[in-house]
């Protein structure tokens, strides 16, 4: 099974989990990247073959991908996100290529349009309307995204399958027991709120820091934001200007975020838009209280309309602060209802993808490169 990464390196934990899951079912798996590097590369199963197209940008790796498809002839190709989906579909249309193509859409088209209404984004949207109808199948990562994709990509609903992201609860809980290496969490004096995500406008960490400053008017607390991005300096300057610079830490990317989440008193998600945020799935498995914006899409569906966490309006620091204070008051971690997690069961999700990639897999050879 060939998987095409949407960025220059391995940053998508879900695609990593899918690649590792497919080889457990004895399929030959290639992970095809424009550039074979990234923070998560060490977590790739040794049985997965890494294909490096040696291209600086996803948009320029078309010749390399076409050559790969013609020479290796994989049975199926799974692509994820934006540019990579367009490239994958067009590459599979070349003469001499006979590969089933499934594209995975991870973002809310409605949400993305509200934060990136540029000429370039509109051009990419036009390209997706050309590419998606020519794919053999389309995956939406949650139910709320499905009708959005249908409208924005000019697709019939029956061509779109909803498949949640897989999580390995046993692995998450095992890693959650390891030390975080962060003094605020391993040797706590004050309650700690953790957030995870790329330091990008879509995550709206500006509202999170503003909300945290309001929290600190009520109690002594700390905020740790895991992730890297172009807004690091701007966010630290904001924290300093609000008088909480010494209470906010941005450690960057960490290999084991679960050790941080398990020791935190609450996890906050402040996004303007999402798809199906994995950090909420993983936090549910750990049991740390959650407060999340009710953004398009994912949080409401994951948290079952607020049964498993607190939902607050987008870009509302006061509401987010109240939600964080309520989450901190909970303090005790508790197990969530089984139905909250069974939707994301690792084996079930892997089988759903394999059924879509290889509809004849019950009669096909187990060692096919699919």
């Amino acid at each position: 099974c060939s998987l095409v990464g949407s960025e220059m390196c391995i940053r998508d934990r879900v695609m990593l989990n899918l690649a590792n899951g497919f080889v457990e079912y004895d399929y030959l798996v290639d992970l095809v990247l424009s550039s074979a590097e990234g923070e998560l590369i060490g977590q790739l199963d040794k049985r997965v073959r890494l294909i490096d197209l040696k291209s600086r940008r996803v948009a320029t790796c078309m010749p390399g991908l076409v050559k790969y498809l013609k020479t290796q002839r994989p049975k199926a190709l799974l692509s994820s996100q934006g540019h990579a989906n367009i490239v994958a579909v067009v590459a599979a249309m070349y003469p001499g290529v006979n590969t089933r193509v499934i594209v995975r859409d991870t973002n809310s088209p409605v949400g993305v349009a509200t934060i990136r209404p540029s000429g370039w984004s509109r051009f990419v949207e036009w390209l997706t309307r050309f590419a998606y109808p020519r794919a053999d199948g389309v995956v939406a990562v949650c139910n709320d995204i499905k009708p959005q994709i249908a409208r924005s990509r000019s697709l019939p609903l029956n061509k779109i399958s909803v498949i949640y992201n897989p999580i390995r609860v046993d692995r998450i809980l095992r890693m959650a027991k390891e030390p975080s290496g962060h003094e605020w969490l391993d040797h706590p004096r004050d309650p700690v709120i953790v957030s995870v995500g790329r330091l990008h406008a879509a995550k709206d960490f500006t509202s999170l820091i503003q909300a945290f400053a309001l929290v600190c008017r009520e109690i002594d607390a700390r905020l740790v934001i895991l992730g890297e991005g172009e807004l690091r300096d701007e966010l630290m300057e904001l924290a300093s200007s609000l008088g909480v610079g010494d209470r906010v830490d941005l450690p960057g990317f960490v290999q084991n975020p679960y050790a941080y989440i398990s020791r935190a008193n609450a996890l906050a998600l402040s996004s303007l838009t999402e798809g199906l945020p994995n950090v909420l799935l993983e936090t549910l498995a750990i049991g740390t209280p959650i407060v999340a914006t009710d953004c398009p899409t994912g949080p409401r569906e994951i948290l079952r309309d607020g049964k498993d966490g607190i939902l607050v309006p987008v870009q509302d620091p006061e509401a987010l602060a109240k939600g964080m204070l309520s989450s901190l008051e909970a303090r005790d971690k508790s197990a969530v209802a089984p139905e909250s997690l069974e939707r994301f069961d690792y084996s079930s999700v892997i089988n759903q993808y394999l059924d879509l990639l290889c509809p004849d897999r019950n009669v096909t050879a187990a060692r096919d490169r699919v």
Side-chain angles (χ1 to χ4, degrees):
C1 177
S2 298
L3 294 90
V4 178
S6 63
E7 302 192 36
M8 289 180 61
C9 57
I10 299 178
R11 293 194 183 97
D12 189 335
R13 193 178 295 275
V14 175
M15 291 294 274
L16 178 85
N17 287 339
L18 291 176
N20 289 345
F22 294 159
V23 294
E24 291 179 9
Y25 281 78
D26 209 27
Y27 285 90
L28 301 174
V29 179
D30 292 343
L31 182 60
V32 183
L33 299 172
S34 56
S35 181
E37 56 188 41
E39 302 96 341
L40 299 177
I41 201 166
Q43 298 179 26
L44 194 64
D45 190 297
K46 303 288 186 197
R47 293 169 290 179
V48 177
R49 187 171 63 164
L50 200 58
I51 305 296
D52 186 358
L53 299 180
K54 301 184 185 301
S55 176
R56 294 188 64 184
R57 298 176 60 87
V58 172
T60 60
C61 71
M62 179 79 72
L65 182 58
V66 171
K67 181 179 179 182
Y68 163 80
L69 293 175
K70 285 185 174 182
T71 57
Q72 299 301 312
R73 303 179 65 81
K75 187 178 182 68
L77 173 69
L78 174 64
S79 175
S80 182
Q81 299 182 17
H83 301 82
N85 289 345
I86 298 168
V87 170
V89 171
V90 175
M93 293 169 61
Y94 271 70
V97 176
N98 185 26
T99 298
R100 181 175 174 81
V101 180
I102 305 297
V103 297
R104 175 175 170 266
D105 214 325
T106 64
N107 292 314
S108 160
V110 171
V112 170
T114 62
I115 63 171
R116 289 190 309 204
S118 65
W120 172 250
S121 67
R122 285 191 288 270
F123 177 63
V124 171
E125 283 298 302
W126 180 84
L127 289 176
T128 59
R129 286 196 293 272
F130 166 81
Y132 276 47
R134 290 163 174 79
D136 294 289
V138 176
V139 173
V141 295
C142 70
N143 288 298
D144 286 344
I145 288 181
K146 181 174 179 175
Q148 295 181 20
I149 293 174
R151 287 192 299 269
S152 63
R153 314 312 193 214
S154 301
L155 288 171
L157 284 170
N158 62 10
K159 190 170 182 176
I160 305 170
S161 304
V162 175
I163 306 180
Y164 288 129
N165 295 343
I167 58 169
R168 304 199 71 159
V169 175
D170 56 342
R171 181 175 180 272
I172 290 170
L173 295 180
R174 184 178 67 253
M175 294 178 68
K177 295 177 182 177
E178 298 176 3
S180 71
H182 197 292
E183 182 180 0
W184 292 355
L185 290 155
D186 290 344
H187 307 285
R189 290 177 293 178
D190 300 320
V192 181
I193 300 162
V194 166
S195 191
V196 183
R198 192 158 61 98
L199 307 183
H200 182 272
K203 301 300 182 183
D204 195 20
F205 289 127
T206 297
S207 289
L208 177 61
I209 292 173
Q210 291 171 340
F212 177 70
L214 296 176
V215 168
C216 289
R217 293 181 185 178
E218 305 292 329
I219 62 171
D220 291 330
R222 309 273 179 169
L223 173 65
V224 177
I225 303 175
L226 305 179
E228 277 295 354
E230 62 272 20
L231 298 182
R232 167 180 286 277
D233 292 342
E234 181 179 319
L235 293 173
M236 287 309 302
E237 287 175 9
L238 174 63
S240 296
S241 71
L242 294 173
V244 293
D246 60 339
R247 293 183 168 273
V248 176
D249 190 31
L250 279 63
F253 173 85
V254 298
Q255 287 284 346
N256 183 5
Y258 315 127
Y260 286 72
I261 295 170
S262 67
R263 286 164 176 77
N265 299 87
L267 178 124
L269 184 140
S270 54
S271 300
L272 301 176
T273 179
E274 284 285 351
L276 190 77
N278 247 39
V279 66
L280 294 190
L281 311 184
E282 295 159 345
T283 303
L284 277 182
I286 292 169
T288 299
I290 294 171
V291 55
T293 50
D294 191 9
C295 66
T297 56
R300 177 168 290 276
E301 196 164 328
I302 293 170
L303 299 178
R304 298 189 304 154
D305 296 321
K307 292 179 182 177
D308 297 322
I310 297 172
L311 292 166
V312 300
V314 172
Q315 284 187 304
D316 189 336
E318 290 188 4
L320 184 55
K322 290 178 182 177
M324 289 194 288
L325 285 167
S326 296
S327 295
L328 292 177
E329 288 174 3
R331 290 194 180 267
D332 294 332
K333 296 178 174 58
S334 58
V336 300
E339 57 266 29
S340 296
L341 291 176
E342 64 187 13
R343 300 169 289 166
F344 316 110
D345 176 72
Y346 185 75
S347 296
S348 173
V349 171
I350 295 298
N351 273 291
Q352 289 176 64
Y353 269 104
L354 287 173
D355 286 343
L356 191 60
L357 289 162
C358 305
D360 61 343
R361 72 186 181 111
N362 290 330
V363 294
T364 194
R367 294 295 289 173
D368 273 355
R369 186 173 301 281
V370 294

